Each structure stands twice: as structure tokens, then as C-alpha cells.
Amino acid sequence: MDTEQLLLTSLAMGDRVATEQIYNQHYPVVTKWIQNNGGAEPDAADIYQEAMVVLYEKSQDESFRLSCKIGTYLFAVSKHLWYKKIARQQKSPGLLPDSAGYDDNRDWAYEDDINAHKERELYYSQLNTALEQLGEPCRSLLKAFYHEDKSMQDIAISFGYTNPENAKTQKYKCLGRLRKIFYNAGVK
Amino acid sequence: MLTEQNIWQLAERYADGTLPQQELDALEQKKASDSAFATEFNECLNIIHSMNDAGKQARFRNTLKDIQAANTATAKPLRTIPLHQHYWRTAAVAAGIALLTSLSTLWVTQHNNNKMASQYSLLKRDLETYKRSQSRLINNIQQQQQNTPAAEVRYTGTGFALTNDGYLVTNYHVTEGADSVYIQSRNGSYHKAYTVGYDQKADIAILKIEDKDFRFGKGELPYSFAPNKRKLGTKVYSLGFPQDEIVYNEGYISSKNGFDGDSSQYRLQMPAYPGQSGAPIIDPNGNVVAMITGKDASSEGTTYAVSSKALMTLVQSLPKSNNIKLSKSNKLNNLTLEQQIEKLEYYTCSIKVYKK
């Protein structure tokens, strides 16, 4: 396996060192480009992080193989996200930079990835809305287990359950309520 | 009969992949025979999968934020990643190319700057020069300004309204380094203005008149802003203040790019005089397409103007709190040129800049 594929595999597992290496290696080029195209530094960092998330989500699929270098992919996706962002801000496609769309066909090759990413983000935000409606202690309990990756043992202690089994029973109850809210809201 | 809790347990073990083959088979059978159970099980499984994935992504996002925060905290320079030995040669070549590129870029930009100074002249009206050549005119100006600060007007330029309630735009070089900026509206009254944003490179400054009750005209702006570049040869006209009286000029777009190929500008064939910096360039339908910024020093009649697109980009980049809503409707397109100008006069103003 070559270095890039190895990095991607580690990235898929959420490995901090690999993530940091990829992040820092391509950060300057991408953010510089965004800044040269009308973005402030925080904008640039936001866009770049979003592109990293797109890459991360892609890497979750075990059969995924990048057809180009990681840097090329991140750069293309960031460019695309940035154009979309300015287009959204200006609400008029006529204001895209002159080069948008026809400067380089490859830049638009990842449209599918970005659309999939957008759909996923929408889905997660609906899930999150449902989660917010749960009320306590369910919201915190589910967040501790799924978002913070805490063990049932830890959760039992911090939420004051006598043992992990009781905490687990509570977790299932919470999931049941989440399911009702989520599916009743008409989300499939 | 399975309780809801049993189903969750089953779905969780299924998602983790810890269900033995025997139970998997039983599950498949039950799903096939009991469709209500199948739906319930799939919903549970979906929730678990989604929560797992959303959680993982949230952790990944946190890692990214962490890395970013660590990088900004360690005073900008990014953490260096040790290069493998066999990369040294590539690195050396790359560094050599980088050096060459940066040196040549430096040379090119410097080269351009020199050119800039000699060929490009800004059109703010320097009243010092006028003082020497036309002393009577300057006296005139001073007499008119008894209700303004004691300081002398040093430069004048032109500006035009972005919104009826006091946002206007002019050139950055007009207001650069100013102690105070006043606009003189159509009825001759002075209003103090302050800068809310600028783009030095594009040479645009956006001003706001301090007086909250100020209005340029009776209603919303009659013109709209062209969102994209107009075609070569489009006839255009401008209204500006090369003198105290408003002056009309006309011409056409002679190149889609401006000075030295600057794509944010147009090159126009139109006379322009000092004091017309910041004057609107309008097409026959009453759309603002550009704003005058400077002229070619070596040839008369070649004027450069920054496009409305660059202008709108700057407006969009301002904080939302400014609440600048550019007019989308155009009330000029059915009017004759004379009628258009009559309306536009209300929204075009002279800008007086005071400097120590």
C-alpha cells in the first residue's frame, strides 16, 4: 500500500496523527488560494475543514480509492465549496468569479461527492434536531455515548445509575424516543 | 414476543457485527415472516447507524478544530513534518523552483508598479494645483463653504448612492488618509460621511453619511447594478464632478479588461478629468456597470473603471449589520437619456476630502 492510501486508512479510523499530517500538509496551498479569491482567513479554514470532512466521509467506504493525490482532491473540493459559498452569499450565479465553471473541468469532477456530503449534512442536522427535542437526561446520555464515545461504565457513573446495565436500559428507552421523534417528523 | 428493548439490543449487536450466525439466520427468518417487526427493526438499526456515523463525524470535526487551534496558537508557523531521506533531492529542486518563481514574481510586480506610476493617473482633483492655476476658482470654493470645518478642501471626487438611506461608493484613493470626508448633495448642503469598508486593490471605498435621516432622493434608487460584465462596445455614459457643476460624458467600453489586463476593470473610451474619480458608468438601460477610477496618462480619452461586479463583491463582504440592500429594480430603462440624467442627479454627489 502506498503512503497516501495508508494515510487515508488511518484517517478513516479517525487517527489524530494521520489527520494532522494531511491537514497541515495541504492547509497553506488551499487557504492561500481562498484568500486570494476573496475569503478571509477564518473562512478559508472553515472551507478547508469542510473539505477534510468530505474526504473523511469518502474514506469511510472501505472500497474507496482516490483516483488522484489527496492534495489535489482537497484543493478541488475546497475550490468548489468556496464557489458555492460565494454564489450563495450573493444569491446570483452571475457573480461567480469569471474562472468558475470553465477554468478546469477537473475542478467540478467531485460534484457528486459534494452533493452527497450536503445530503448527509442535512440528514445529520435533522437527526440533531430530533436529539435536541429529547430533553434530559436522554440528550446528554446519547451524546455522551455516541458523540463523546464514552463507555456505558463511565456513563453509569456520571449519570448516577447503579450499574452499566441500568444505564443501558435507559439508553434504549432514549433511543426509542429518538426514533419516534425522528420518524414522526416525516424523515425517512 | 420481543420487547422494544430486545429489538434495540438485537439491532445494536447487529450493527456491531457481534451477532452469531445462528441468531442472524433466525433474525432474517423473522424479518421475512413478520413485516411489522422488519420495519421496526430496520428503523432501530437505521437510528443506531446514523447515531454512530454522526458521532464519529462530530469527533472528527472536533479533531480538526483542535488541530487548527493548536496551529494558530503556536504563532502561525505550521508544524513541520520531517521529510524522508529520499525526498531531500526533490525538496531541494522544489525549493530552487520556488525561489526562482518568487524572485521573478517580485521582479514582475515591481516592474508593473513602475509602469503603474508612469502610465496611470488617478482622477481626484487636487485643489493645490488649482490654487496655482486658477486662483479665482479656489476663492469661490472657500466662500461657499462657510458652514463646513475651517480646514481647506484638499481633494474632490465623485460618489454615487448604493442605498437611498446614505450608503454611497467612491474610489479608495479619493478618501485615502482623509481627516474628514463630506459629501455635497444636489441642493448644495454638506453632510459628513465615514468609511464603512474598502478594497484598496480594486480602489473602492464604501461610505455612510452620519446623519441618519439623510436621504438622497424621494424613493429607492432608480438604477440597478449589473451583475456581470457588459459586452465590448456597449455605449455608456457618466455623471461626475470635475467642477462644482455636474458634468455629463459619454463613450463606450473599449476593452473588457482594464489597466494592464486587470479583469476587475473595464477600459473605456471616454474623456475623464480630475474630480471624476468615483463617477458612475451607466449603460443605456440605466444599469450601473462600473465606476471611474483612473485614466491612461499617456493617451487622452482612455479611462479605466472598476466593474460593478467588484463593487458588489465588496458590498457582500461587509458585515451584515450594515444592512445594505442593493436595489434590484431598474426604473430608468424606459426613460430617455435626458430623463435618466435628471433622476440620476439626485443620487450622484461631489465628495470633498479634508486633510491636514
Side-chain angles (χ1 to χ4, degrees):
Chain A
M1 230 191 267
D2 64 299
T3 356
E4 293 241 307
Q5 196 58 49
L6 211 66
L7 270 176
L8 276 182
T9 314
S10 311
L11 178 84
M13 296 186 299
D15 177 67
R16 162 97 190 202
V17 176
T19 310
E20 199 165 349
Q21 186 173 342
I22 296 176
Y23 191 91
N24 288 346
Q25 197 177 352
H26 308 292
Y27 181 88
V29 179
V30 173
T31 52
K32 183 125 200 279
W33 182 87
I34 293 175
Q35 285 176 35
N36 285 340
N37 283 274
E41 203 176 338
D43 291 340
D46 281 355
I47 292 284
Y48 183 61
Q49 286 184 18
E50 208 58 38
M52 284 288 291
V53 173
V54 175
L55 180 69
Y56 171 78
E57 293 289 357
K58 281 295 275 187
S59 73
Q60 294 302 302
D61 182 357
E62 277 168 22
S63 62
F64 170 65
R65 293 282 177 279
L66 259 192
S67 56
C68 62
K69 292 268 180 206
I70 292 177
T72 316
Y73 184 84
L74 284 174
F75 190 48
V77 170
S78 301
K79 249 179 154 176
H80 197 153
L81 288 172
W82 175 243
Y83 283 149
K84 286 208 160 177
K85 185 176 167 153
I86 22 187
R88 212 165 37 241
Q89 277 177 351
Q90 301 179 334
K91 290 198 180 84
S92 155
L95 290 174
L96 282 178
D98 279 341
S99 56
Y102 43 79
D103 68 337
D104 192 33
N105 284 329
R106 255 176 306 144
D107 289 345
W108 303 93
Y110 303 108
E111 181 105 43
D112 289 347
D113 290 2
I114 287 169
N115 288 338
H117 171 69
K118 259 178 72 181
E119 266 173 43
R120 193 183 306 109
E121 290 305 297
L122 181 70
Y123 182 77
Y124 283 169
S125 80
Q126 285 165 341
L127 188 65
N128 214 33
T129 316
L131 192 61
E132 290 301 322
Q133 286 170 11
L134 270 184
E136 297 297 353
C138 275
R139 183 176 48 204
S140 301
L141 195 150
L142 290 183
K143 276 190 175 172
F145 185 75
Y146 289 104
H147 289 202
E148 291 152 35
D149 203 19
K150 292 217 172 102
S151 69
M152 286 322 287
Q153 183 78 44
D154 287 347
I155 290 174
I157 292 167
S158 55
F159 285 81
Y161 295 103
T162 42
N163 59 49
E165 274 317 303
N166 285 348
K168 232 176 172 170
T169 309
Q170 181 62 40
K171 187 184 82 183
Y172 293 136
K173 278 185 190 155
C174 293
L175 281 173
R177 283 170 60 188
L178 179 67
R179 176 184 145 215
K180 283 203 182 73
I181 295 176
F182 189 63
Y183 282 96
N184 284 346
V187 190
K188 286 275 140 55
Chain B
M1 185 61 206
L2 287 168
T3 64
E4 201 189 333
Q5 184 171 343
N6 293 144
I7 297 177
W8 280 111
Q9 242 161 358
L10 204 59
E12 196 166 52
R13 287 169 66 205
Y14 182 90
D16 291 345
T18 53
L19 220 51
Q21 193 59 46
Q22 212 181 344
E23 286 185 52
L24 264 179
D25 292 343
L27 175 68
E28 289 306 325
Q29 258 182 12
K30 190 163 171 56
K31 272 167 72 177
S33 61
D34 183 346
S35 71
F37 166 78
T39 316
E40 194 173 357
F41 178 81
N42 284 339
E43 278 186 19
C44 291
L45 188 63
N46 188 24
I47 289 278
I48 289 175
H49 273 313
S50 306
M51 286 300 286
N52 271 333
D53 292 347
K56 269 205 247 169
Q57 201 212 59
R59 286 200 294 282
F60 182 73
R61 279 183 187 274
N62 279 338
T63 311
L64 292 179
K65 278 198 192 117
D66 251 25
I67 296 173
Q68 176 66 26
N71 286 344
T72 15
T74 53
K76 300 267 166 180
L78 293 168
R79 207 178 67 105
T80 46
I81 298 149
L83 285 168
H84 270 291
Q85 292 256 297
H86 64 278
Y87 285 148
W88 276 117
R89 206 192 290 194
T90 326
V93 173
I97 293 171
L99 186 67
L100 190 69
T101 323
S102 55
L103 282 179
S104 53
T105 316
L106 192 66
W107 180 79
V108 169
T109 20
Q110 292 232 324
H111 185 68
N112 278 348
N113 282 346
N114 292 341
K115 216 160 97 191
M116 197 81 178
S118 60
Q119 289 189 2
Y120 194 86
S121 67
L122 302 169
L123 291 173
K124 61 184 170 183
R125 188 159 59 127
D126 185 344
L127 291 178
E128 283 296 306
T129 8
Y130 268 69
K131 209 168 170 181
R132 263 175 263 123
S133 59
Q134 294 194 351
S135 54
R136 265 170 62 202
L137 182 69
I138 205 91
N139 285 342
N140 242 340
I141 287 177
Q142 279 175 341
Q143 271 168 20
Q144 279 178 12
Q145 285 163 7
Q146 275 149 6
N147 58 341
T148 63
E152 199 177 318
V153 183
R154 294 293 290 270
Y155 297 109
T156 73
T158 304
F160 61 97
L162 282 178
T163 64
N164 194 31
D165 61 357
Y167 281 99
L168 68 146
V169 61
T170 185
N171 282 143
Y172 173 77
H173 76 255
V174 170
T175 60
E176 186 182 10
D179 290 325
S180 53
V181 178
Y182 283 77
I183 72 125
Q184 191 176 20
S185 65
R186 191 174 178 276
N187 62 17
S189 61
Y190 282 83
H191 301 272
K192 195 164 200 283
Y194 58 93
T195 308
V196 290
Y198 62 84
D199 180 344
Q200 185 171 7
K201 202 164 147 258
D203 201 3
I204 306 170
I206 291 175
L207 310 178
K208 170 85 172 76
I209 288 163
E210 275 186 357
D211 181 1
K212 286 197 178 62
D213 299 325
F214 177 85
R215 296 287 181 271
F216 281 99
K218 277 178 199 135
E220 280 312 301
L221 261 54
Y223 46 82
S224 57
F225 294 82
N228 42 27
K229 279 212 161 175
R230 286 292 184 254
K231 291 202 170 70
L232 205 59
T234 304
K235 293 240 180 333
V236 291
Y237 67 90
S238 92
L239 290 172
F241 290 88
Q243 55 188 52
D244 288 328
E245 202 70 13
I246 197 161
V247 170
Y248 169 86
N249 270 310
E250 61 182 18
Y252 52 87
I253 295 174
S254 61
S255 169
K256 278 192 93 170
N257 288 334
F259 185 73
D260 210 21
D262 185 344
S263 64
S264 70
Q265 292 187 339
Y266 290 104
R267 177 190 161 124
L268 308 173
Q269 190 61 33
M270 173 191 277
Y273 307 97
Q276 268 181 303
S277 264
I281 298 290
I282 295 150
D283 73 5
N285 296 325
N287 295 305
V288 171
V289 299
M291 174 173 78
I292 294 184
T293 58
K295 64 177 213 167
D296 196 310
S298 58
S299 67
E300 208 46 54
T302 302
T303 302
Y304 297 109
V306 60
S307 71
S308 54
K309 197 169 130 179
L311 179 65
M312 287 169 84
T313 310
L314 175 60
V315 171
Q316 301 294 348
S317 73
L318 294 178
K320 290 254 163 11
S321 58
N322 283 315
N323 197 21
I324 302 182
K325 287 208 183 75
L326 294 181
S327 141
K328 290 217 171 67
S329 65
N330 184 331
K331 297 173 195 139
L332 297 176
N333 47 6
N334 293 324
L335 303 181
T336 64
L337 182 63
E338 292 80 0
Q339 288 168 327
Q340 287 188 8
I341 293 169
E342 204 171 32
K343 289 221 182 260
L344 280 167
E345 274 188 58
Y346 286 94
Y347 300 91
T348 312
C349 58
S350 172
I351 293 184
K352 319 269 182 192
V353 176
Y354 300 83
K355 279 185 201 175
K356 287 239 166 62

